[in-house]
Amino acid sequence: MNKSDGKFLDSCRVDETNDFNGPVSKALYEYWNEKLQQSGENGPIFSDIDLIDIYDIAPYIVVKDILNGGENYLNRYWGTGIAQAFGYDSTGMLLSDYYDDAHIKQLHDLYELIVSAKRPIKISGNAEFYVNKEYLTFESAHLPLYDNDGKPKHILLGYDFNI
């Protein structure tokens, strides 16, 4: 699957793939895939993830909680490298705290794709959806995490910038 039509995020390409180019997204995918292989049919859960295991890339990681079956998303963790790149720390914030309605809709659609596919998603392009950062190029890995019953519970993201 490859989506480049802006449905999910303006000026971004969305690919269902396990082929990542950036060192952060590639390392995070490999770590997640290792946990996937160990997890059984329900997929990896949040408690399988230990940021100490991947401390060298932790500044470029985001963990989002899926609230009310996908009605909203809360940033549980927002790495310092992400905060520096985008100019703010949104730990503890909802999507509606820092996105406009159009981009919230795009992100809801994107996150729904990530958790329903139960596969890694690569997003790349220019971060035009961030005000004041329109020329920030990136690649990111978006990886689903589940609860013990196999229901989507979190999304694990890793970003590489200026790729």
Side-chain angles (χ1 to χ4, degrees):
M1 185 242 1
N2 152 358
K3 296 296 286 175
S4 302
D5 61 6
K7 173 185 176 188
F8 296 111
L9 284 176
D10 297 334
S11 74
C12 293
R13 180 182 171 106
V14 176
D15 294 292
E16 189 177 306
T17 184
N18 58 6
D19 183 27
F20 295 93
N21 301 311
V24 172
S25 53
K26 185 177 228 167
L28 187 61
Y29 166 74
E30 289 171 358
Y31 178 73
W32 176 85
N33 192 49
E34 177 184 309
K35 299 301 179 183
L36 176 66
Q37 300 307 314
Q38 298 168 357
S39 68
E41 68 182 46
N42 287 339
I45 61 176
F46 181 68
S47 63
D48 292 335
I49 306 302
D50 188 347
L51 292 180
I52 296 300
D53 293 342
I54 49 176
Y55 70 90
D56 54 330
I57 63 169
Y60 300 98
I61 291 176
V62 173
V63 178
K64 293 187 180 291
D65 294 345
I66 301 170
L67 305 178
N68 301 322
E71 285 180 25
N72 214 331
Y73 298 85
L74 176 75
N75 293 321
R76 173 181 292 254
Y77 175 79
W78 186 271
T80 56
I82 305 293
Q84 183 178 21
F86 292 129
Y88 59 90
D89 180 354
S90 72
T91 300
M93 295 174 78
L94 299 169
L95 289 179
S96 57
D97 293 333
Y98 58 99
Y99 280 114
D100 61 29
D101 289 342
H103 289 105
I104 290 171
K105 169 71 171 114
Q106 289 179 342
L107 284 164
H108 277 258
D109 291 347
L110 173 67
Y111 295 157
E112 185 177 308
L113 171 69
I114 292 164
V115 297
S116 67
K118 288 196 172 186
R119 290 188 30 97
I121 302 290
K122 176 169 71 174
I123 301 171
S124 55
N126 294 314
E128 292 181 14
F129 49 91
Y130 279 103
V131 178
N132 301 326
K133 296 292 180 183
E134 96 183 50
Y135 299 108
L136 185 63
T137 59
F138 73 97
E139 174 184 280
S140 61
H142 288 62
L143 309 162
L145 299 173
Y146 300 90
D147 65 14
N148 289 325
D149 297 322
K151 294 180 182 165
K153 195 71 177 162
H154 307 279
I155 300 174
L156 180 63
L157 300 84
Y159 281 87
D160 291 286
F161 297 103
N162 299 315
I163 295 275

